[in-house]
Amino acid sequence: MKRKVTSKGKQAAKAFEGAMGQGRMAEITTDVFRRGKVALDSVVWEMGQLLVEAIMYMEREELAGPDYAPSDPTISKGGTQAGSVYVGDRKLRVRHPRLRGPEGEIELASYAQLKQRGGFSEELLEKSLRGLSGRRYDETIGDAAAAFGVARSTVSRHIVEATAKKLQEFKERDLSAIVPFAVLLDTIHRGGSAFIVALGVDVNGEKHPLGFWEGATENAEICEELFGDLERRGLKLTHRVLFVVDGGKGIIKALRDRFGKKLLLQRCTIHKSRNIQRHLPKKYRAEARAWFRRAIDCVQLNDAKRELNSLEKWLRRINSSAADSLLEALNDVVTIHRLRMPELLRKTLHSTNAIESMFSTVRDCEMNIKRFRGSAMRQRWLGAVLLHCEKGFNKVKGHKDIAAVLRTIDGDQCEEKMAA
């Protein structure tokens, strides 16, 4: 029986060499020895189990030599042994060839690489992040004849391991190489907890999820803990950084306590517009929204303030609370105008849309989670998803104008010092 199986493996290796060419097979084999499963995944799925076994037989031939001309008399060939490898997102049965040396069993390097579970956990995680429930994984892997041993409990364990690894990577990564131009702050509520999340835009226009901090509610203390965590990991939060927030009182208080009059704060214009409209009867809401939008679209600071002051007077006649809501944020919604920010960059930083878009991805990725089982699970998933989001980030629109805006900031602060 052993000879029959061994003969079958040798025939498979020869068949692939004939079909693909000996040179190409040697190239694939070398790459798999060097990089393991990563290299194999790109070529193996169509060829499947047969190619995996062929590669292992080819390695055995390289180590021990052919039967008629052994290269090392101290190494002897055995039969085969049942085993399993991870290929793509499937766990496959294989028969791996055996070798024995003076000190006992010799494990093939290719088999050792292919049976590692790390890559399998990563791929399961990627599928889960795309909305695939771990409870339904056994329905999606398909081709049951080629796959085996993927139980719900196994999938859950792999996901826990992978998300824990991602969370550690996210919370421990060094931020000292990031020079922030803007930091967007917002809160996402998950499983009964509030997570204040920071999204950074560096001086080159690249976006980076910087960190998060969990609390029962959004408050100044939790926000300060987040700032402390970012600074411990090397991020420099200075008076040159523009902070974009949705209007949460806790976040704004923490920022004002930290930076005082030097704070560069841009209130989200979309949130402020909605807040104003909530105070108004329905028949006035469309006009108030259009008027506010017209003010924000102004290029010059004086034009924007003139429109907003006119809007405040109009609102005062209809609803004083709506007018007060506008008045308390009047200076903070035009910070982008005060910095003479060009149009494309204003479109990015006049609101918290960039971080809201990231939160949308978080919700999509977690849509199959029915219940969070404690803080550890909430944090594991959030850290993993934020890293997943980062892969799809593009530079912000208008990033070429960031250097000019920074010069404006430096010039304005220099004038303030001279005036003081």
Side-chain angles (χ1 to χ4, degrees), residues 74-369:
T74 65
I75 297 178
S76 60
K77 298 178 182 178
T80 62
Q81 184 174 350
S84 61
V85 296
Y86 293 111
V87 178
D89 55 2
R90 306 189 185 193
K91 188 178 179 184
L92 300 181
R93 286 192 180 98
V94 294
R95 304 285 308 183
H96 65 92
R98 301 177 65 186
L99 281 175
R100 289 189 65 84
E103 298 180 0
E105 192 82 14
I106 299 175
E107 185 176 39
L108 298 175
S110 55
Y111 182 61
Q113 289 277 5
L114 292 166
K115 69 179 182 179
Q116 289 180 7
R117 294 190 175 190
F120 183 53
S121 294
E122 291 286 337
E123 285 150 8
L124 273 176
L125 176 60
E126 288 297 319
K127 285 203 169 187
S128 296
L129 293 175
R130 292 193 294 269
L132 177 65
S133 169
R135 293 177 179 272
R136 297 176 53 215
Y137 183 76
D138 51 355
E139 298 174 18
T140 68
I141 58 173
D143 197 7
F148 77 106
V150 185
R152 293 177 183 178
S153 59
T154 303
V155 173
S156 297
R157 186 174 67 253
H158 281 300
I159 295 299
V160 169
E161 292 172 358
T163 52
K165 181 180 177 182
K166 291 293 184 182
L167 175 62
Q168 183 179 9
E169 176 187 344
F170 182 75
K171 295 189 77 172
E172 294 181 0
R173 64 179 181 171
D174 183 18
L175 303 178
S176 59
I178 298 174
V179 181
F181 164 65
V183 174
L184 290 79
L185 295 164
D186 204 352
T187 304
I188 183 171
H189 295 270
R190 305 158 64 255
S193 292
F195 288 81
I196 299 179
V197 182
L199 175 67
V201 178
D202 67 21
V203 291
N204 298 313
E206 299 282 359
K207 290 183 286 187
H208 308 271
L210 300 173
F212 63 81
W213 206 265
E214 181 181 7
T217 60
E218 176 189 297
N219 57 64
E221 289 76 15
I222 298 301
C223 191
E224 188 56 44
E225 291 286 355
L226 173 60
F227 294 154
D229 175 61
L230 300 182
E231 289 177 327
R232 279 192 295 273
R233 291 190 282 133
L235 190 70
K236 291 181 174 58
L237 298 175
T238 69
H239 54 271
R240 297 179 81 234
V241 177
L242 173 67
F243 291 90
V244 185
V245 303
D246 67 350
K249 293 181 179 179
I251 294 177
I252 293 176
K253 181 180 184 305
L255 289 170
R256 293 201 189 283
D257 289 346
R258 174 175 275 251
F259 294 102
K261 293 181 179 180
K262 293 183 178 181
L263 173 65
L264 293 176
L265 179 68
Q266 172 64 38
R267 293 278 291 273
C268 175
T269 60
I270 295 175
H271 280 86
K272 178 45 62 181
S273 179
R274 290 172 183 166
N275 290 341
I276 293 169
Q277 292 169 53
R278 289 193 187 101
H279 292 89
L280 300 175
K282 288 185 179 179
K283 63 180 180 179
Y284 296 113
R285 290 178 183 176
E287 185 175 357
R289 180 173 61 250
W291 200 330
F292 186 83
R293 185 71 261 164
R294 188 165 61 248
I296 298 302
D297 286 342
C298 289
V299 175
Q300 300 298 324
L301 174 62
N302 290 337
D303 295 338
K305 280 194 168 183
R306 184 171 55 252
E307 286 288 342
L308 289 173
N309 286 325
S310 298
L311 174 60
E312 188 268 334
K313 292 176 182 177
W314 178 75
L315 290 172
R316 188 72 62 185
R317 295 195 298 269
I318 300 169
N319 187 310
S320 292
S321 295
D324 290 341
S325 178
L326 172 61
L327 200 58
E328 65 90 17
L330 190 63
N331 291 323
D332 294 336
V333 295
V334 292
T335 301
I336 52 175
H337 297 79
R338 192 170 74 249
L339 298 178
R340 298 186 287 281
M341 199 171 287
E343 181 182 4
L344 279 179
L345 205 50
R346 282 207 314 270
K347 286 183 177 180
T348 299
L349 297 176
H350 79 88
S351 73
T352 55
N353 273 358
I355 197 168
E356 292 286 352
S357 176
M358 185 171 71
F359 287 167
S360 177
T361 304
V362 171
R363 295 184 185 99
D364 287 344
C365 291
E366 296 178 347
M367 68 180 180
N368 287 309
I369 299 177

